[in-house]
Structure formats: structure tokens, C-alpha cells
């Protein structure tokens, strides 16, 4: 997942980012609350209430994600960022929990915090109500109580990618000792629930003439359906790479490029021809570094005739590499988290092979075709 949007702040190494799509939902929450408040309150009061509800609800969603993140950090999982977008928030971790118990606690933290917030706002509303106060502050608290409790309950639905799905998977994983099977079950539940949301969205659209909430539900359903499938594939992939060493899948007939080659030749004779995204760079038989398509893209096309590979390559000391005995699962995780298309395999200071992400995915496909995953 890409972190596109506006960086808000950093907390304990976690980058909080607002996705552009988030502004849509924020404006909608402001407007719907303004419209609802307008029946009882003045225009100024209603706008203030709409803005307060949206801002406080947005802080509530952020706190929900921070709760997940802090429990994850406590269990040694690195959380890189939190992204707020049209469907809520997403905390992004660069590793997965190692045991069902950890996953259980991390997943539970978010909904638990939402419920606590919900009861907090609810108590405030209750006190105001008993004191005979039904002003704007009470109405805002009442709405936030309902929204947070709903958020907590919705997230407890036991299907991927919702928190409840993670909780159920942790329990099944613990009971069966089989992560793939547990993931398959919660992905199927998540998928069915997503289809139900899409169906509900269509009903709303057709019968209640509610264009916005109908469409929003349909898109939420589609998003959840895709994530449910995605998490299942990720686990099956990881499982099928377990126990495989890099030496078993690295390519040994390596295509090298010379350090003095002009970039124009690199593109025309190598990148187009072999369709690899990175190449090892040699000076005679010495490995000097790696050069990638991404690096070529940083140079304007007009200069490709004049710049050489050595001008843009990553020197060998800075190149992330693998060893033949490395585990394929770890290698894949590194490639995904560091966004590398391929990595050199080095043993005793010598380049012995290259592994690309495509090699790992191909192995996974062959294994699943043969039914050995
Ligand atoms: Zn959550």
C-alpha cells in the first residue's frame, strides 16, 4: 500500500497520513451532521456542530488505529504508518504477528478503544440529559457515542479485513495450528460480508433513493472483498515459500551490464530486451553495484546518451543483498517492504545469482498448480 497524501505528524516512529479521499468522507460527515442539526439549531450552531462531530470522529478513528499500533509495537512489530482514507483508518505494519495470542491482542485493542470512547461520550451525554441540557454539546456527544459504539461493533464482525476477522483467525490459528486454513475461513466470511454490503448498498440506492450512502456501501463492499482475498493470497504465498532457500530459486545465468555503458544502451539493449528492472554492474569481473529502472527514470531522456551506468548506480556497499542459504519468505518480505524488484545473491564477496520478485511469485504459482502449498 502506498502512503500518498498529506503527512499530518509522526508519533513513536509512526507516520500519520491523510489520504486525499479522506476529504470526501470528512465533508460528508460535516454536511450530514449540519443538515441533521439544522432542524433544532441555528445555522452557525449547526455548522459548528457538523465540524465538531467530524473532527472528533476523525480523532476517534485515529485513536482506534493508534491503539492497534501501540499494542503491536509492544509486541515487537514495527508499525510504519497510519493512513486515514475514505473508509476509515489503516495501520501499516512491516511485519506480521508471530503468534495467535499477539494477533488477538493487537486486533482487540482497536474496537476496545472505540467502545471505551463510545461509553465516555455516552456518559457525558447522559449527565447532560439528566441535568436537562439538550444543547449543541449534548447532541454532539450523543452522536459521537453512537458513532464510536457502531465503529467498535462493526469492526468486531468476524471476517477479514475487519478486526473481528483477525480475532477469529487468531483463535482458530491457536486451535488448529494451521494459519492457512484459519485465514481461508475468515477470508470467506469477510468475502460474504462484503457481498452483503454491496447488496445492501444496491437496495439503498434503488429503494431508498439514497445515492450517496448506497454508493458508499457498494464501494466499501468492493474494497473489503478485495482486501479479504488479498490477505488470503499473502498468507498462502508465505506458506508456500516456507522452507525454501534462495539458492533453490536464484537465477545463475546473470545478465551483467558494464559500468561505462551509456544509459541509452542500458534501456534499449537490456531493460527492453530482458525486461528485468535491475542489473548488476561490472568493471571487468569486479561487481561494483546495481543499477535499476527507477534510477534511469531520474535522468531526463535527453541525457541518456551522455550519462553512464556508473553515474547513477547504487555502489555495492549500499546494495541490499541475499545469501544463498537465506529463507525465501524473509527475502520476499524484504523485497516488498523495501520495494525492491530484485536482489543480488552474494557469497564470499562474489555474486552467485539474482533473485527477482517474479521468481518468487512464479514458484508460488507452480506450487499451487501442483497442489503443494
Ligand atoms: Zn481496527
Amino acid at each position: 500500500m502506498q502512503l500518498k497524501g498529506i503527512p499530518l505528524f509522526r508519533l513513536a516512529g509512526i507516520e500519520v497520513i491523510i489520504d486525499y479521499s479522506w476529504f470526501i468522507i470528512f465533508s460528508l460527515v460535516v454536511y450530514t451532521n449540519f443538515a441533521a442539526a439544522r432542524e433544532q439549531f441555528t445555522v452557525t450552531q449547526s455548522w459548528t456542530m457538523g465540524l465538531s462531530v467530524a473532527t472528533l470522529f476523525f480523532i476517534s478513528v485515529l485513536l482506534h488505529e493508534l491503539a492497534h499500533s501501540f499494542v503491536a509495537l509492544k509486541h515487537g512489530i514495527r508499525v510504519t504508518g497510519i493512513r486515514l482514507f475514505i473508509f476509515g483508518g489503516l495501520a501499516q505494519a512491516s511485519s506480521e504477528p508471530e503468534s495467535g495470542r499477539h494477533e488477538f491482542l493487537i486486533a482487540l485493542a482497536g474496537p476496545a478503544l472505540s467502545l471505551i470512547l463510545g461509553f465516555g461520550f455516552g456518559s457525558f451525554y447522559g449527565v447532560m440529559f439528566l441535568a436537562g441540557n439538550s444543547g449543541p454539546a449534548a447532541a454532539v456527544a450523543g452522536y459521537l457515542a453512537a458513532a464510536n459504539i457502531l465503529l467498535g461493533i462493526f469492526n468486531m464482525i468476524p471476517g477479514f479485513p475487519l478486526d473481528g476477522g483477525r480475532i477469529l483467525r487468531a483463535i482458530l490459528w491457536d486451535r488448529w495450528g494451521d494459519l492457512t486454513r484459519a485465514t481461508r475461513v475468515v477470508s470467506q466470511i469477510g468475502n460474504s460480508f462484503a457481498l452483503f454490503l454491496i447488496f445492501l448498498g444496491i437496495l439503498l440506492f434503488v429503494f431508498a433513493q439514497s445515492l450517496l450512502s448506497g454508493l458508499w456501501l457498494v464501494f466499501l463492499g468492493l474494497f473489503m472483498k478485495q482486501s479479504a482475498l488479498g490477505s488470503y493470497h499473502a498468507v498462502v504465498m508465505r506458506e508456500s515459500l516456507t522452507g525454501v532457500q534462495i539458492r533453490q530459486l536464484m537465477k545463475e545465468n546473470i545478465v551483467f551490464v558494464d559500468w561505462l555503458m551509456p544509459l541509452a544502451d542500458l534501456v534499449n539493449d537490456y531493460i527492453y530486451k530482458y525486461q528485468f528492472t535491475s542489473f548488476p554492474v561490472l568493471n571487468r569481473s569486479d561487481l561494483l553495484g546495481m543499477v535499476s529502472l527507477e534510477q534511469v527514470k531520474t535522468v531526463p531522456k535527453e541525457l541518456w546518451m551522455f550519462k553512464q551506468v556508473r553515474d547513477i548506480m547504487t555502489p555495492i556497499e549500499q546494495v541490499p543483498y541475499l545469501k544463498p542459504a537465506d529463507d525465501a519468505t524473509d527475502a520476499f518480505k524484504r523485497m516488498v517492504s523495501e520495494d525492491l524488484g530484485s536482489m543480488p545473491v552474494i557469497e564470499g564477496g562474489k555474486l552467485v545469482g539474482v533473485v527477482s520478485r517474479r521468481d518468487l511469485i512464479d514458484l508460488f504459482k507452480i506450487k499451487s498448480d501442483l497442489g503443494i502449498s
Side-chain angles (χ1 to χ4, degrees):
M1 176 95 39
Q2 275 189 331
L3 290 176
K4 277 212 182 107
I6 300 160
L8 202 58
F9 61 86
R10 258 183 110 83
L11 186 70
I14 305 167
E15 173 112 64
V16 177
I17 283 169
I18 294 185
D19 188 276
Y20 297 118
S21 69
W22 175 85
F23 289 99
I24 301 173
I25 193 71
F26 187 81
S27 326
L28 275 176
V29 175
V30 173
Y31 184 74
T32 29
N33 278 282
F34 161 78
R38 201 52 199 96
E39 289 169 14
Q40 281 183 44
F41 300 99
T42 67
V43 175
T44 320
Q45 278 175 329
S46 302
W47 278 123
T48 316
M49 286 167 71
L51 270 172
S52 317
V53 167
T55 309
L56 288 168
F57 183 61
F58 148 70
I59 294 172
S60 303
V61 171
L62 183 58
L63 287 172
H64 172 116
E65 297 307 323
L66 282 171
H68 285 306
S69 308
F70 281 118
V71 177
L73 285 175
K74 208 174 138 243
H75 289 103
I77 292 161
R78 215 164 67 88
V79 180
T80 46
I82 292 175
R83 200 168 66 109
L84 297 159
F85 69 127
I86 191 162
F87 301 128
L90 269 181
Q92 290 155 348
S94 65
S95 57
E96 290 265 337
E98 309 227 309
S99 74
R101 211 182 72 86
H102 287 176
E103 176 159 52
F104 180 85
L105 294 173
I106 296 166
L108 193 64
L113 192 90
S114 293
L115 291 179
I116 293 171
L117 284 174
F119 287 115
F121 282 116
S123 316
F124 180 76
Y125 176 78
V127 170
M128 299 291 264
F129 182 79
L130 290 176
N133 181 330
S134 57
V140 167
Y143 181 83
L144 283 162
N148 272 297
I149 290 171
L150 262 177
L151 183 70
I153 293 174
F154 179 79
N155 268 293
M156 288 300 283
I157 289 164
F160 255 7
L162 297 167
D163 296 330
R166 294 196 161 266
I167 293 173
L168 179 65
R169 180 174 80 158
I171 296 170
L172 296 177
W173 181 9
D174 216 44
R175 181 160 301 175
W176 297 338
D178 184 344
L179 179 61
T180 315
R181 190 173 152 214
T183 308
R184 192 187 311 128
V185 171
V186 294
S187 297
Q188 277 161 355
I189 300 174
N191 196 46
S192 314
F193 182 65
L195 288 176
F196 168 73
L197 286 183
I198 295 171
F199 180 68
L200 199 68
I202 296 173
L203 284 187
L204 265 179
F205 182 71
V206 175
F207 294 105
Q209 306 286 310
S210 172
L211 179 73
L212 274 179
S213 22
L215 270 184
W216 190 78
L217 270 186
V218 169
F219 282 116
L220 177 64
L222 288 172
F223 168 75
M224 283 183 52
K225 195 167 149 37
Q226 202 197 13
S227 320
L229 270 175
S231 353
Y232 178 58
H233 284 156
V235 169
V236 174
M237 170 110 196
R238 199 166 59 181
E239 204 88 328
S240 76
L241 292 177
T242 304
V244 175
Q245 286 190 349
I246 284 302
R247 76 170 86 248
Q248 290 168 265
L249 33 87
M250 66 187 189
K251 296 262 186 301
E252 286 163 57
N253 49 343
I254 308 157
V255 183
F256 295 103
V257 297
D258 190 81
W259 71 320
L260 299 177
M261 181 184 291
L263 297 186
D265 292 358
L266 172 70
V267 172
N268 292 322
D269 301 341
Y270 288 83
I271 294 179
Y272 289 165
K273 183 171 172 196
Y274 297 100
Q275 291 170 2
F276 297 153
T277 51
S278 64
F279 294 89
V281 181
L282 286 195
N283 172 15
R284 293 172 194 276
S285 63
D286 294 336
L287 179 66
L288 297 186
M290 293 285 287
V291 66
S292 71
L293 177 61
E294 286 305 310
Q295 288 169 318
V296 177
K297 281 200 245 165
T298 62
V299 179
K301 237 179 187 153
E302 310 82 69
L303 298 178
W304 284 1
M305 281 306 289
F306 310 105
K307 289 262 185 191
Q308 293 172 327
V309 165
R310 62 170 170 179
D311 301 324
I312 60 165
M313 69 176 191
T314 311
I316 192 66
E317 314 81 60
Q318 292 166 24
V319 171
Y321 67 94
L322 296 166
K323 292 193 281 289
D326 281 350
D327 186 66
T329 321
D330 297 336
F332 190 69
K333 271 192 223 159
R334 271 183 73 187
M335 285 186 183
V336 172
S337 72
E338 292 169 38
D339 200 23
L340 302 163
S342 65
M343 285 174 87
V345 185
I346 293 177
E347 190 174 40
K350 278 198 63 179
L351 182 71
V352 290
V354 171
V355 169
S356 68
R357 246 199 254 194
R358 207 162 54 191
D359 297 332
L360 295 165
I361 293 168
D362 286 348
L363 174 78
F364 158 68
K365 281 192 190 138
I366 291 169
K367 275 199 164 184
S368 50
D369 276 354
L370 294 171
I372 336 177
S373 69

